[in-house]
Amino acid sequence: ANTASAARLGDRWQFDNSGANSIGSNAATLQNGATYSTAARQGTDAVSLDGADYQLSVWTLDVGDPFTVSSGV
């Protein structure tokens, strides 16, 4: 992991069979049948979503300042 970039993050979820947040306090929860997957091509764990109703939720998001959402698909 790029530690210089990680130091600037407010939240980080590694999805290693858990929704734990390794930097902040906002845990992610899986809903409607979403599961953790170990079939990620990048060599890390992932979340399996069906594109219809499987969801990953993070309840606290302060949008008072500009922010970036980054996702590997």
Side-chain angles (χ1 to χ4, degrees):
N2 182 336
T3 55
S5 294
R8 294 189 301 258
L9 294 174
D11 294 292
R12 183 177 184 194
W13 300 271
Q14 295 177 311
F15 303 124
D16 50 355
N17 282 330
S18 158
N21 185 335
S22 61
I23 295 176
S25 61
N26 301 316
T29 55
L30 302 179
Q31 298 176 335
N32 299 334
T35 60
Y36 294 106
S37 170
T38 57
R41 294 178 185 213
Q42 297 290 319
T44 187
D45 290 6
V47 174
S48 178
L49 306 171
D50 69 353
D53 63 350
Y54 291 3
Q55 299 175 11
L56 177 119
S57 295
V58 177
W59 290 102
T60 303
L61 181 62
D62 178 4
V63 294
D65 294 321
F67 66 95
T68 301
V69 175
S70 177
S71 173
V73 178

